Each structure stands twice: as C-alpha cells, then as structure tokens.
Amino acid sequence: MAIDSITYSNAGEVQLAGRGTGRGYVRVYLDNTPITTSRIAGDGGWRTDLPEVDTGVYTLRVDEVDSDGTVVSRVETPFKREDETVVANVEAQAESAKRIRAVTVQPGNTLWAISREHYGEGILYVRVLEANADRIRNPDLIYPGQVFTVPD
C-alpha cells in the first residue's frame, strides 16, 4: 500500500492517488474519521477525491481492505491542507508563466530531490528556494502538503 500523490484539482479540492497490493478497495481517513472509499484497479492503482477538507494539519490514513472487509495493509502520514488562497495563488502563477509548475511536497521529499527530478541536478534547489521564499523559512525543513512553485 502506498500513497503516490496528494494534489489539488483545478477547483482546489484535494486529490489522492496510490497503489495497493490486492483487488479490494481503500478506505481513506482524516484524523481517524472515515472520509471516502475507492476501488483498487486491476493494475493496483487507485484514485479518489477528498471533498471539503478545511485548511489545517491532519493525519491521513489509507487502509487497503479485501473483499471480506479485512484490513490487509495500511499507510499513514501527516498531511497539511494548504489554505485555498495559497493553492489558488500557486495555480495562478503557473497559468501566467509559460513553464512554471507546482509540486506538492510528499513525505521524504527534500528540495534537493525535487530539484534533481525537475532540473536534473540537485544543486539547483536554489531556484525552488528563491521562487518560494515566502513559504520556506529553512531549506532543510519542508513539510508534506506544502505547495511549491517549480520555475523553469
């Protein structure tokens, strides 16, 4: 069981995607409150929306459940729902510039890894740092759920 992405739709709603090991379904919880379920596709992938999540920090949990209703695997991570104005501002910047992209920080991400993925070299993390100076106080401390602009 894995959460591959936590993103925002064009309307600003939270979207999740991941992989499971079986053919059952996933149950999604925020702070141990069940929110939604989603079928696991034949290739093991799953996707779901999290409707009406207020700004704040949550514990996001996803359980893989088999056809009998038994939990067979689980993944849990902290999740920060950014304020909708922050998400809208990042999306507006992305639309106004030709090749500006947005990335949502995942557990284990570093500015170095994000830069290596987008630019081919980790040392170019300074580009991401400068583009997001209003959101990054310490380049060694970024948090899951933060939304950063990744300029070209």
Side-chain angles (χ1 to χ4, degrees):
M1 166 60 57
I3 299 171
D4 292 333
S5 67
I6 303 171
T7 60
Y8 297 97
S9 71
N10 291 339
E13 294 297 321
V14 178
Q15 296 178 318
L16 302 176
R19 291 168 281 127
T21 58
R23 295 181 184 224
Y25 57 97
V26 294
R27 282 190 202 133
V28 180
Y29 300 81
L30 286 179
D31 293 338
N32 290 321
T33 301
I35 302 298
T36 189
T37 61
S38 179
R39 278 253 168 242
I40 298 174
D43 65 357
W46 57 269
R47 293 183 175 279
T48 191
D49 293 337
L50 293 183
E52 302 175 15
V53 177
D54 290 331
T55 301
V57 177
Y58 300 91
T59 298
L60 172 66
R61 184 178 94 211
V62 180
D63 290 348
E64 180 177 355
V65 182
D66 66 14
S67 58
D68 296 329
T70 304
V71 175
V72 295
S73 64
R74 171 177 290 163
V75 63
E76 189 172 288
T77 186
F79 162 65
K80 180 180 179 186
R81 168 58 156 118
E82 286 288 349
D83 183 82
E84 291 182 31
T85 57
V86 171
V87 174
N89 287 340
V90 169
E91 288 177 357
Q93 288 175 356
E95 288 177 20
S96 68
K98 265 188 162 177
R99 300 197 69 197
I100 292 180
R101 295 166 284 197
V103 63
T104 302
V105 177
Q106 302 299 312
N109 278 162
T110 62
L111 289 178
W112 188 276
I114 291 168
S115 299
R116 190 175 55 227
E117 179 181 334
H118 291 276
Y119 303 127
E121 294 183 59
I123 193 71
L124 297 176
Y125 77 93
V126 176
R127 289 184 183 174
V128 179
L129 179 62
E130 289 173 350
N132 298 281
D134 60 327
R135 284 170 260 169
I136 301 173
R137 292 185 181 165
N138 180 338
D140 294 325
L141 296 174
I142 61 173
Y143 302 97
Q146 285 182 298
V147 179
F148 294 150
T149 300
V150 182
D152 189 30

